[in-house]
Amino acid sequence: MRRRSGTICLAFCLGLGACAGTRPQQAASGLLTIDRLTEIRHPSQPTWSPEGARIAFVWDQGGVQNLYLVASSGSAREAPRRLTSYEAGSVDNLFWSRDGQKLYFVHDGDLWNITPSHADAPQPVWTTKEVEDQVVPSPDGTKVAFVRGGQLGVPDWQRSEGDLYVRSLGDGHETRLTNGEGVVAGPSWSPDGKRLAFA
């Protein structure tokens, strides 16, 4: 049974490698190497644009995460377009502006945005010494709730600090909503944008 499971797992990994663009002669060789494993790209966090014509997502290759955009029509002629060129760090918490002009995301503890219709580099919405993550836009898109505190790469359950904040995307005004009562996780807006639930 173990030998059979191992064979199935190996075949699956080789199939992924072939789908991820490894060269045919490599796939045909049947050899599984560390280099081939790191070439496998893992898509995650698919996020629809407001008009539904585009999907932004994160592609992780060998632990390096970058932001990509693809048409939702699924046309084989249009390959996913790379929007960022990071060599390290995570990309998380994707969300669009209400008009679909900007795409927001968290990179290394700060909020950034990019205009997918242009070839511009990502721009910081804010940068701070503290780490911010779990950024969630309000229903009207004018503000975000987020958690500040902790260290990069440390999961919620290992944190020793983390408070809930709300910040305006327009003028940067922010309000602290909790103060050391515990480690905040999973903020979620009410439909009217007047309340926040969190763990």
Side-chain angles (χ1 to χ4, degrees), residues 64-68 82-88 91 107 114 121-122:
V64 177
Q65 294 184 345
N66 275 289
L67 189 58
Y68 285 76
R82 186 172 178 166
L83 299 179
T84 62
S85 299
Y86 297 122
E87 296 181 358
V91 176
H107 175 66
I114 192 166

mmCIF file of all heavy atoms in Angstrom, residues 64-68 82-88 91 107 114 121-122:
data_model
loop_
_atom_site.group_PDB
_atom_site.id
_atom_site.type_symbol
_atom_site.label_atom_id
_atom_site.label_comp_id
_atom_site.label_asym_id
_atom_site.label_seq_id
_atom_site.Cartn_x
_atom_site.Cartn_y
_atom_site.Cartn_z
ATOM 1 N N VAL A 64 8.739 31.757 -3.900
ATOM 2 C CA VAL A 64 8.682 33.159 -4.327
ATOM 3 C C VAL A 64 7.284 33.431 -4.864
ATOM 4 O O VAL A 64 6.823 32.749 -5.777
ATOM 5 C CB VAL A 64 9.740 33.456 -5.402
ATOM 6 C CG1 VAL A 64 9.615 34.892 -5.882
ATOM 7 C CG2 VAL A 64 11.138 33.188 -4.870
ATOM 8 N N GLN A 65 6.606 34.430 -4.305
ATOM 9 C CA GLN A 65 5.230 34.726 -4.687
ATOM 10 C C GLN A 65 5.154 36.010 -5.504
ATOM 11 O O GLN A 65 5.808 37.005 -5.168
ATOM 12 C CB GLN A 65 4.352 34.866 -3.446
ATOM 13 C CG GLN A 65 4.205 33.578 -2.678
ATOM 14 C CD GLN A 65 3.248 33.705 -1.508
ATOM 15 O OE1 GLN A 65 2.903 34.805 -1.093
ATOM 16 N NE2 GLN A 65 2.815 32.573 -0.991
ATOM 17 N N ASN A 66 4.353 35.963 -6.575
ATOM 18 C CA ASN A 66 4.108 37.143 -7.385
ATOM 19 C C ASN A 66 2.655 37.188 -7.830
ATOM 20 O O ASN A 66 1.947 36.180 -7.802
ATOM 21 C CB ASN A 66 5.042 37.176 -8.604
ATOM 22 C CG ASN A 66 6.380 37.794 -8.267
ATOM 23 O OD1 ASN A 66 6.479 38.998 -8.049
ATOM 24 N ND2 ASN A 66 7.410 36.962 -8.183
ATOM 25 N N LEU A 67 2.236 38.366 -8.227
ATOM 26 C CA LEU A 67 0.858 38.626 -8.600
ATOM 27 C C LEU A 67 0.695 38.511 -10.112
ATOM 28 O O LEU A 67 1.512 39.043 -10.877
ATOM 29 C CB LEU A 67 0.491 40.037 -8.129
ATOM 30 C CG LEU A 67 -0.953 40.494 -8.201
ATOM 31 C CD1 LEU A 67 -1.853 39.573 -7.392
ATOM 32 C CD2 LEU A 67 -1.059 41.918 -7.666
ATOM 33 N N TYR A 68 -0.375 37.827 -10.531
ATOM 34 C CA TYR A 68 -0.654 37.620 -11.949
ATOM 35 C C TYR A 68 -2.098 37.999 -12.252
ATOM 36 O O TYR A 68 -2.951 38.041 -11.353
ATOM 37 C CB TYR A 68 -0.432 36.162 -12.348
ATOM 38 C CG TYR A 68 1.015 35.768 -12.465
ATOM 39 C CD1 TYR A 68 1.790 35.549 -11.336
ATOM 40 C CD2 TYR A 68 1.616 35.614 -13.713
ATOM 41 C CE1 TYR A 68 3.120 35.177 -11.438
ATOM 42 C CE2 TYR A 68 2.949 35.242 -13.830
ATOM 43 C CZ TYR A 68 3.700 35.025 -12.690
ATOM 44 O OH TYR A 68 5.023 34.668 -12.807
ATOM 45 N N ARG A 82 2.095 38.691 -15.728
ATOM 46 C CA ARG A 82 2.761 38.939 -14.451
ATOM 47 C C ARG A 82 2.709 40.427 -14.119
ATOM 48 O O ARG A 82 3.084 41.258 -14.944
ATOM 49 C CB ARG A 82 4.206 38.457 -14.527
ATOM 50 C CG ARG A 82 4.957 38.525 -13.230
ATOM 51 C CD ARG A 82 6.299 37.833 -13.397
ATOM 52 N NE ARG A 82 7.081 37.921 -12.176
ATOM 53 C CZ ARG A 82 8.168 37.188 -11.945
ATOM 54 N NH1 ARG A 82 8.581 36.317 -12.849
ATOM 55 N NH2 ARG A 82 8.839 37.321 -10.823
ATOM 56 N N LEU A 83 2.251 40.748 -12.909
ATOM 57 C CA LEU A 83 2.128 42.145 -12.507
ATOM 58 C C LEU A 83 3.241 42.599 -11.571
ATOM 59 O O LEU A 83 3.530 43.793 -11.489
ATOM 60 C CB LEU A 83 0.780 42.369 -11.801
ATOM 61 C CG LEU A 83 -0.481 42.098 -12.625
ATOM 62 C CD1 LEU A 83 -1.724 42.340 -11.782
ATOM 63 C CD2 LEU A 83 -0.511 42.945 -13.889
ATOM 64 N N THR A 84 3.839 41.681 -10.829
ATOM 65 C CA THR A 84 4.936 42.028 -9.917
ATOM 66 C C THR A 84 6.138 41.147 -10.207
ATOM 67 O O THR A 84 6.013 40.080 -10.816
ATOM 68 C CB THR A 84 4.522 41.855 -8.445
ATOM 69 O OG1 THR A 84 4.197 40.480 -8.202
ATOM 70 C CG2 THR A 84 3.331 42.733 -8.100
ATOM 71 N N SER A 85 7.301 41.599 -9.771
ATOM 72 C CA SER A 85 8.547 40.861 -10.019
ATOM 73 C C SER A 85 9.358 40.740 -8.737
ATOM 74 O O SER A 85 10.556 41.027 -8.707
ATOM 75 C CB SER A 85 9.380 41.566 -11.102
ATOM 76 O OG SER A 85 8.665 41.619 -12.313
ATOM 77 N N TYR A 86 8.714 40.316 -7.676
ATOM 78 C CA TYR A 86 9.406 40.148 -6.397
ATOM 79 C C TYR A 86 10.315 38.925 -6.451
ATOM 80 O O TYR A 86 9.992 37.919 -7.074
ATOM 81 C CB TYR A 86 8.407 40.001 -5.252
ATOM 82 C CG TYR A 86 7.542 41.222 -5.035
ATOM 83 C CD1 TYR A 86 6.156 41.133 -5.103
ATOM 84 C CD2 TYR A 86 8.105 42.459 -4.779
ATOM 85 C CE1 TYR A 86 5.358 42.250 -4.907
ATOM 86 C CE2 TYR A 86 7.322 43.585 -4.589
ATOM 87 C CZ TYR A 86 5.944 43.467 -4.653
ATOM 88 O OH TYR A 86 5.156 44.578 -4.462
ATOM 89 N N GLU A 87 11.435 39.028 -5.775
ATOM 90 C CA GLU A 87 12.361 37.904 -5.678
ATOM 91 C C GLU A 87 12.260 37.212 -4.323
ATOM 92 O O GLU A 87 12.880 36.162 -4.120
ATOM 93 C CB GLU A 87 13.787 38.375 -5.934
ATOM 94 C CG GLU A 87 13.991 38.907 -7.355
ATOM 95 C CD GLU A 87 15.410 39.344 -7.624
ATOM 96 O OE1 GLU A 87 16.250 39.272 -6.688
ATOM 97 O OE2 GLU A 87 15.697 39.760 -8.767
ATOM 98 N N ALA A 88 11.508 37.805 -3.407
ATOM 99 C CA ALA A 88 11.317 37.212 -2.078
ATOM 100 C C ALA A 88 10.079 37.841 -1.454
ATOM 101 O O ALA A 88 9.574 38.858 -1.930
ATOM 102 C CB ALA A 88 12.546 37.464 -1.200
ATOM 103 N N VAL A 91 2.857 37.544 -0.979
ATOM 104 C CA VAL A 91 1.810 38.399 -1.548
ATOM 105 C C VAL A 91 0.492 37.844 -1.035
ATOM 106 O O VAL A 91 0.212 36.653 -1.194
ATOM 107 C CB VAL A 91 1.849 38.398 -3.088
ATOM 108 C CG1 VAL A 91 0.696 39.208 -3.650
ATOM 109 C CG2 VAL A 91 3.189 38.935 -3.595
ATOM 110 N N HIS A 107 2.215 43.067 0.870
ATOM 111 C CA HIS A 107 3.535 42.491 0.607
ATOM 112 C C HIS A 107 4.460 42.856 1.757
ATOM 113 O O HIS A 107 4.652 44.040 2.052
ATOM 114 C CB HIS A 107 4.105 43.010 -0.719
ATOM 115 C CG HIS A 107 5.512 42.544 -0.997
ATOM 116 N ND1 HIS A 107 5.824 41.225 -1.219
ATOM 117 C CD2 HIS A 107 6.677 43.225 -1.060
ATOM 118 C CE1 HIS A 107 7.126 41.115 -1.425
ATOM 119 N NE2 HIS A 107 7.664 42.320 -1.331
ATOM 120 N N ILE A 114 -1.595 48.397 -7.396
ATOM 121 C CA ILE A 114 -1.060 48.439 -8.747
ATOM 122 C C ILE A 114 -2.228 48.685 -9.699
ATOM 123 O O ILE A 114 -3.370 48.302 -9.404
ATOM 124 C CB ILE A 114 -0.328 47.121 -9.085
ATOM 125 C CG1 ILE A 114 0.476 47.262 -10.377
ATOM 126 C CG2 ILE A 114 -1.295 45.945 -9.156
ATOM 127 C CD1 ILE A 114 1.465 46.130 -10.591
ATOM 128 N N ALA A 121 4.993 50.040 -11.853
ATOM 129 C CA ALA A 121 5.392 49.217 -10.712
ATOM 130 C C ALA A 121 4.395 49.416 -9.573
ATOM 131 O O ALA A 121 3.696 50.435 -9.518
ATOM 132 C CB ALA A 121 6.794 49.611 -10.263
ATOM 133 N N PRO A 122 4.289 48.450 -8.663
ATOM 134 C CA PRO A 122 3.404 48.618 -7.504
ATOM 135 C C PRO A 122 3.783 49.843 -6.679
ATOM 136 O O PRO A 122 4.962 50.209 -6.584
ATOM 137 C CB PRO A 122 3.629 47.328 -6.696
ATOM 138 C CG PRO A 122 4.202 46.359 -7.659
ATOM 139 C CD PRO A 122 4.978 47.169 -8.652
#
